[in-house]
Amino acid sequence: MSHLQGWVSALLVFWLVVILVTPPPAFEHEQAARRSRPTVEIRPAKRTDGAPSVDVERAGRHPDGDALVICDLDTPFADDGVSGAAKGQLNILVHRQQAPLASGAFLGMVERKHFDRNFVFRSVDNFIVQWGIESPGPKTKGKFAKVGIDPPGSPPRANSRGSLNFAGGRSASGQVYVNRVDNNHLDREPGARPFATLDEKSMSIIDSIHSYKEGMGQVKAVNKGEDEVRSQFPMMSRIEKCWIEDDR
């Protein structure tokens, strides 16, 4: 019996380690999301050389080639009397020279207005917030092209507080997450190096986003549309609009 208990304990420790080092997924709900979306004709911009479709030389003129993306965030269904509902502008500094592939993919999504009216469907205290699933509607675009993995940099970029990356390290999902705290254990995964950062004023807004317990049907509600979110998750925040500052 003691031998069996030892094996059980070892398995529990193994799975706990796996959970802790796994980066935010590009959600396991992707198949369900595709089933719930209306059928649309998808005509992505095709580049035979694999380069990003956005003109990264024009997008934002900042020191070191960085681009500034600004996103308006609101909690649209919170009652007027609710204090502390998240609201404000997020300043996202995109480091194009440090991570040109991921940056180009992200800026292309901003230009396509992919993130406009995206609900922050995942918000975990002392971990991350995540968005990038489009609600049903005429603007639904479908999948994005998968870009290569940028070098980690020197010194290597880290999943520290305020950094932003693609969920699962994959641009194809169109989902991004912001680290609320230092999550350096995520750096071990391929493609998990951030390509943008938020300033502390923006992070104070990120910190104020309401966190629902995971697995309560948030993604299912987002896929059904605004009425379902309003009914089930009235404190869920939303990215109302994003733009590249010099291109607004």
Side-chain angles (χ1 to χ4, degrees), residues 7-29:
W7 273 105
V8 171
S9 299
L11 285 172
L12 289 174
V13 170
F14 170 77
W15 285 113
L16 179 61
V17 170
V18 169
I19 292 171
L20 288 175
V21 301
T22 300
F27 240 61
E28 60 257 38
H29 331 281

Side-chain angles (χ1 to χ4, degrees), residues 23 149 165 168-170 186-193:
I149 298 176
N165 193 19
R170 299 186 296 113
L186 300 180
D187 298 342
R188 305 168 190 168
E189 295 296 319
R193 297 288 181 173

